[in-house]
Amino acid sequence: MASQILSPNHSEHLTQATTKRHEDAVSNDSPTTKSIDQQNTTRSRGETLSSVRSLIGLQQLPPVSEEHEDLEHHDLAWGQIRLALREPFAEFWGTFIMVMFGDGSVAQVLLSSTNKAAPGGNGFGAYQSISWGWGLGVCLGIYVAGDSGGFLNPAITFCFCLFRKLPWKRFPVYLLAQFLGGFCAAGVMYINYVNAINNYEGHGIRTVPPSPTATAGIFCTYPQPFLTKASQFFSEFIDSTILMFVIFALKDDSNQGAMGKTGAGPFFPLALFFLIFGLGACFGYETGYAINLARDFGPRLMSYAVGYGQEVWSAGE
């Protein structure tokens, strides 16, 4: 059998072809290797995400719709933080919106009370405007914080942990988120109304009730000066009891209600609007119906930080 003799050119072409096949093989393997690495990275991140969420009492998987699960920004550090703390962020923003509307209504009514150029010649709003503002704030805040349950109130969170088996691990992180939401919202409101406050009280002057020009009440509640400590407690106790009683009734699926439905269902935020409006209209005079540590303590701390002084902690004593 005759042996085949390879020419130099033929050998060169064979070497080039072999090299090309090797490069193609490597190129074909790269996507697979890259895909495996991505899967391992994704799995590792998923395990970390689940462990962080479990640590604070949240469900292992965040409440994210399917079409949003594979978005590229979820692989970024900030995206992972948002997923891990999705419900606490919801509580933060829900409380933020609630306080923005509530404190904003108080600010507008109080600071414009001497404005004769307003429609009606007596400021931009009356006391019922405040009830409207807080009612709308709670209603919209619940919509914003839907992923977390829309608690917006440490007292409500506590009661759901105690009576509705909400994991106790959630309570501290929800409490912190709600407090920070109220604190930050009060800061934004102060920046927005600082010139109006200066116009009302005097430049750089900041007073608390019972001063006739006090503006500290924009941010938090102060009792009427004639109330005793027992009366203050009793007023807030009644308000808070009504709040929780009605919320549990609205969330009770066995409660057929006036329309024959199970609980309030999708009308729950609207029902809360009427509840908060009613509490303000009927029980707001004596203590300002605080009924919410996050809506009162967070803004109170902000008012102290911006210059209202130690009196924010002692007024009403």
Side-chain angles (χ1 to χ4, degrees), residues 12-298:
E12 182 178 352
H13 289 318
L14 182 60
T15 302
Q16 292 175 350
T18 303
T19 302
K20 187 176 185 303
R21 283 197 299 272
H22 177 70
E23 291 175 349
D24 290 341
V26 173
S27 177
N28 290 333
D29 287 343
S30 295
T32 303
T33 304
K34 184 177 181 180
S35 178
I36 294 174
D37 291 340
Q38 288 178 339
Q39 291 176 2
N40 291 335
T41 301
T42 301
R43 187 180 299 109
S44 176
R45 287 176 176 173
E47 292 174 353
T48 302
L49 177 65
S50 297
S51 63
V52 170
R53 290 179 58 81
S54 298
L55 183 65
I56 56 178
L58 303 175
Q59 296 180 354
Q60 290 188 351
L61 296 178
V64 180
S65 57
E66 293 182 1
E67 61 268 22
H68 290 167
E69 287 182 353
D70 298 326
L71 295 179
E72 294 182 359
H73 66 262
H74 283 174
D75 292 332
L76 302 177
W78 175 240
Q80 292 294 306
I81 294 173
R82 286 178 56 201
L83 287 177
L85 301 175
R86 186 175 180 86
E87 291 91 334
F89 275 129
E91 286 293 315
F92 171 89
W93 287 114
T95 308
F96 183 93
I97 292 297
M98 176 185 69
V99 173
M100 285 287 288
F101 274 86
D103 282 1
S105 65
V106 179
Q108 178 161 295
V109 170
L110 176 63
L111 300 177
S112 70
S113 59
T114 58
N115 192 323
K116 301 303 180 183
N122 192 27
F124 289 83
Y127 175 76
Q128 291 294 18
S129 299
I130 298 174
S131 299
W132 279 98
W134 278 110
L136 286 170
V138 170
C139 178
L140 297 176
I142 292 173
Y143 278 116
V144 169
D147 285 343
S148 64
F151 297 98
L152 314 184
N153 185 336
I156 296 175
T157 310
F158 180 86
C159 287
F160 269 80
C161 290
L162 189 62
F163 298 115
R164 293 296 185 268
K165 296 183 179 181
L166 185 73
W168 281 102
K169 288 182 179 180
R170 294 193 193 186
F171 181 72
V173 69
Y174 275 20
L175 172 64
L176 179 62
Q178 293 157 359
F179 161 74
L180 290 176
F183 180 79
C184 293
V188 173
M189 291 309 304
Y190 182 78
I191 293 172
N192 184 66
Y193 279 105
V194 62
N195 290 320
I197 293 173
N198 286 333
N199 178 67
Y200 187 84
E201 285 212 80
H203 187 78
I205 300 173
R206 300 292 182 266
T207 59
V208 304
S211 168
T213 59
T215 57
I218 292 173
F219 305 100
C220 50
T221 62
Y222 293 89
Q224 294 297 330
F226 56 80
L227 287 178
T228 64
K229 292 291 191 300
S231 295
Q232 294 173 24
F233 173 82
F234 193 64
S235 176
E236 286 297 313
F237 179 82
I238 291 175
D239 297 348
S240 299
T241 301
I242 293 173
L243 175 71
M244 289 310 310
F245 184 87
V246 175
I247 286 177
F248 279 146
L250 293 172
K251 298 295 287 185
D252 186 357
D253 291 338
S254 66
N255 179 16
Q256 293 298 315
M259 296 181 291
K261 304 293 184 181
T262 55
F267 294 103
F268 180 75
L270 183 61
L272 259 291
F273 162 76
F274 287 111
L275 173 59
I276 300 302
F277 181 91
L279 286 173
C282 303
F283 299 97
Y285 167 54
E286 292 187 323
T287 59
Y289 73 116
I291 63 176
N292 186 340
L293 179 67
R295 134 320 179 250
D296 192 86
F297 179 70

